[in-house]
Amino acid sequence: LIEALSGFNDAAARCGASWVAEMATQARAAIDEGDLREDVDPDSLARTIVGAMLGTRMLSIAVARSRYS
């Protein structure tokens, strides 16, 4: 989802990349603090979490529009 949205323009690509990078930073910190297992790939986890967040947001917008249209 992130890669698809990034194809729209440079601003979307930079925004998506910054969200993933920040989430990966937080995942690395959680690994260092013992809150996540050491075998978790922070970059894969970051892409998964950000993609899930964007997907959830898109679905909630679509449901709200269909409910109130």
Side-chain angles (χ1 to χ4, degrees):
L1 181 58
I2 298 164
E3 285 82 14
L5 293 174
S6 296
F8 286 108
N9 60 46
D10 290 338
R14 285 192 307 273
C15 183
S18 70
W19 290 345
V20 171
E22 181 58 32
M23 188 62 69
T25 298
Q26 295 302 318
R28 285 184 190 89
I31 291 168
D32 292 343
E33 294 169 4
D35 294 326
L36 282 175
R37 295 184 337 221
E38 290 184 5
D39 63 340
V40 171
D41 178 6
D43 296 312
S44 292
L45 179 62
R47 285 190 300 274
T48 300
I49 290 173
V50 172
M53 289 173 19
L54 288 173
T56 300
R57 178 69 177 140
M58 290 173 70
L59 284 172
S60 65
I61 289 170
V63 167
R65 285 184 182 160
S66 67
R67 186 175 292 166
Y68 300 109
S69 295

